[in-house]
Amino acid sequence: MSNSVTVKAPPTHAPMTQFSVAKGELVVGGISLTRLAARVGRTPFYAYDRGLLTQRVSELRTALPREVRLHYAMKANPMPALVCHMAKLVDGIDVASAGELKVALDAGADPGEISFAGPGKQDAELQQSVAAGILVNLESFREIAPLVAASVALGLPARVAVRVNPDFELKSSGMKMGGGPKQFGVDAEQVPQLLAEIGRAGLAFEGFHLFAGSQNLKAEAIVEAQRKSFELALRLAEHAPAPVKFLNLGGGFGIPYFPGEQRLELAPIGDNLAALVAEAARKLPQAQLVIELGRYLVGEAGIYVCRVIDKKVSRGHTYLVTDGGLHHHLSASGNFGQVIRKNYPVAIGNRMGDAATENYSVVGPLCTPLDLLGEKINLPQVQPGDLVVIHQSGAYGASASPTGFLGHPEIIEILT
Ligand SMILES: *Cc1c(COP(=O)(O)O)cnc(C)c1O
C-alpha cells in the first residue's frame, strides 16, 4: 500500500488567448502594447479591441438560431465609440437611463429596436422615450400615467412591454435579478392586472421582458431559465391586450473571471433557442425572440493597462505599486459584487514571453487596503515602468468605478 497523496493542481484562469502575442508583447487591435501605451500618451487606460467585438458577435450569430434578435445591454460598457461599433453589429440596444438612450441614438441605433428597462424611471425619461419611439419595459403600475400623458401631449403611441419578475430564480447566477421579492419588474402574479390597465389606458402593448440574472457560466441553468421564461410568457400572453411582438428572454451569459472558471458552452443554448423559436412560431406567431447581453459581448475584448511605479518589499512580500487602481477598476479590486475577493487574470503585457518566477501583489496608489488589483499572483520578474494588464475588463470597468475617489486624473478609454 502506498500512502502517497495526490496533490491537486491549484485552479488556473481560463487562457486569455483572444489576444495574440508578438515579440513578447501583448497585441491589442493589431498594435503591440508598448507602442499602444505610447500612442495613448499616458497610463492607466482601458483598451477595447474592435476586431474581438466583431468576432464575438459573429460567433454568437453562428451558434444561435438566425431568428433570435441580439441586443446589446449597454450598461456593460457605455463608451460612445464602442456603442457605435456595437450598434452596427447587433439588432438592438437596451438602455437603462435617458443618458444611455442619448448615446444609443447618437450611435445610430434603430429606435424601433431600443428598449428601456430599469426601476425608478422618471417622468421626463418616459416622455423622452415616447418622443424617441422606443420600447419601454414597464416595471411598475406607476409608469402608466406618465406614459399616457406623454402619448397624449406628443400625439405618439407609447410602446410598452412588461418586465416580469418571474416566479423562479436563475440557478448558479452571479447576480440574481428575478424571483422572490425584487425591485425589478412586476411580480408574475400581478401581471394580468397590469395588462388589463395597459389595455384600458390605451398604451401600445408589444411584449414581455424577463431577465433572471447575470454572469452565469452554466449552459444548463441558462437553458432552464429561458425555457421557464418562455412558458411563463405564454401563460401571461393569454391576458395581453394585443399580440406579443417582442419576447425578450434576457441573457445572463457569463465570462470566466476567476481561477477554475471555464467559458460558457453555447451549443446547448442554441439548441434550446431553436426549439423555442419553433414553438413560438406556433403559439405566438407574431413574436420575435430577443436575447440581451452585456458582458458576454464586450467583457473579453477589453483590457485595463497600468504602469508599475514602484516595487516594494514588506516583510518578505513584494508589492507592485501601479498608477491604476480601484478608482478606475472597482470590479477587479473585488468590490463590485464579489462576496469573496478573487483575482482577475493579470499579465505583464511587455513581458509575455517570460516565465512566472515571482510572486507579487499588485496594488494601486490609493490610501486604502481595498485598492488591490491582484493578490499574491505568480508573474515574471517585473521592473518599474512595466505594463500591468488586467484581462476581462471590457465590461463593468470604467463606468462602474468611483473615478472621483482621491482626485487622480480621469480614466482614458480607447477603441482600437
Ligand atoms: C444589466 C442588465 C443586462 C446585462 O447583463 P450582463 O450580465 O452584462 O449580460 C441585461 N438586461 C438587464 C435588464 C440588465 O439590467
Side-chain angles (χ1 to χ4, degrees):
M1 285 283 282
S2 118
N3 56 359
S4 71
V5 282
T6 35
V7 181
K8 226 170 115 201
T12 54
H13 284 103
M16 295 294 122
T17 42
Q18 67 269 42
F19 292 98
S20 60
V21 172
K23 300 198 181 89
E25 293 243 356
L26 197 72
V27 177
V28 185
I31 304 170
S32 74
L33 192 64
T34 302
R35 180 172 171 188
L36 188 66
R39 196 186 90 180
V40 173
R42 70 166 163 83
T43 49
F45 61 90
Y46 280 92
Y48 314 120
D49 184 320
R50 56 176 103 228
L52 290 178
L53 295 169
T54 305
Q55 189 185 321
R56 175 50 63 105
V57 173
S58 72
E59 283 164 5
L60 203 56
R61 297 267 196 205
T62 308
L64 304 185
R66 219 173 346 109
E67 295 85 351
V68 172
R69 320 280 299 165
L70 182 60
H71 281 198
Y72 173 49
M74 65 170 277
K75 84 169 189 286
N77 189 329
M79 181 210 193
L82 180 141
V83 176
C84 223
H85 184 75
M86 297 304 291
K88 294 185 189 82
L89 301 173
V90 298
D91 301 305
I93 306 279
D94 293 325
V95 304
S97 69
E100 287 193 354
L101 174 59
K102 177 187 186 301
V103 175
L105 292 170
D106 287 349
D110 171 7
E113 293 252 11
I114 296 177
S115 58
F116 178 11
K121 299 181 198 76
Q122 297 179 26
D123 291 1
E125 293 182 306
L126 293 168
Q127 184 168 41
Q128 284 172 274
S129 302
V130 173
I134 66 164
L135 184 68
V136 173
N137 292 329
L138 277 188
E139 312 218 11
S140 163
F141 286 79
R142 190 204 64 85
E143 292 172 347
I144 294 177
L147 282 169
V148 170
S151 174
V152 169
L154 295 165
L156 292 168
R159 302 176 53 221
V160 298
V162 171
R163 179 169 182 183
V164 182
N165 176 23
D167 41 16
F168 57 86
E169 287 195 342
L170 177 56
K171 286 184 196 142
S172 335
S173 176
M175 226 179 259
K176 290 189 178 33
M177 289 177 69
K182 288 282 179 302
Q183 73 267 49
F184 308 109
V186 172
D187 293 350
E189 48 284 18
Q190 294 182 42
V191 168
Q193 189 197 336
L194 181 68
L195 290 167
E197 291 193 23
I198 288 170
R200 275 197 295 277
L203 302 179
F205 171 82
E206 297 194 3
F208 295 106
H209 173 219
L210 294 104
F211 183 73
S214 184
Q215 181 48 22
N216 203 310
L217 289 168
K218 293 217 165 70
E220 62 278 25
I222 292 173
V223 162
E224 186 188 319
Q226 289 183 336
R227 153 110 351 234
K228 284 183 171 170
S229 297
F230 182 80
E231 283 163 4
L232 176 57
L234 280 185
R235 289 197 295 279
L236 295 173
E238 291 170 16
H239 304 271
V244 174
K245 288 195 207 159
F246 290 103
L247 177 49
N248 184 332
L249 296 175
F253 296 18
I255 61 172
Y257 287 106
F258 307 122
E261 292 183 341
Q262 274 154 28
R263 289 193 168 77
L264 179 67
E265 234 191 305
L266 287 178
I269 300 174
D271 292 347
N272 180 58
L273 284 172
L276 296 183
V277 165
E279 204 175 326
R282 283 183 280 118
K283 298 182 178 164
L284 298 171
Q286 299 191 31
Q288 294 192 310
L289 299 192
V290 180
I291 58 166
E292 52 175 14
L293 302 174
R295 85 177 75 230
Y296 189 81
L297 296 182
V298 298
E300 301 212 56
I303 57 172
Y304 177 65
V305 183
C306 53
R307 200 179 285 279
V308 177
I309 293 172
D310 199 354
K311 191 172 151 184
K312 283 175 67 162
V313 180
S314 169
R315 306 215 160 98
H317 186 61
T318 305
Y319 289 85
L320 302 178
V321 185
T322 71
D323 58 7
L326 78 73
H327 54 310
H328 293 156
H329 205 330
L330 192 67
S331 305
S333 78
N335 294 294
F336 190 68
Q338 287 100 305
V339 181
I340 301 166
R341 191 193 174 284
K342 292 181 198 148
N343 291 323
Y344 271 45
V346 174
I348 304 302
N350 58 315
R351 295 185 188 272
M352 297 301 289
D354 298 7
T357 55
E358 313 297 312
N359 188 268
Y360 298 125
S361 288
V362 181
V363 301
L366 307 188
C367 300
T368 161
L370 299 178
D371 194 12
L372 181 61
L373 296 176
E375 185 173 26
K376 298 195 173 121
I377 43 184
N378 296 329
L379 289 172
Q381 175 109 50
V382 167
Q383 297 305 326
D386 284 346
L387 296 168
V388 172
V389 168
I390 301 183
H391 282 289
Q392 307 298 77
S393 297
Y396 305 107
S399 72
S401 298
T403 51
F405 191 39
L406 268 89
H408 284 281
E410 261 179 45
I411 184 62
I412 299 173
E413 294 177 275
I414 61 159
L415 176 68
T416 187

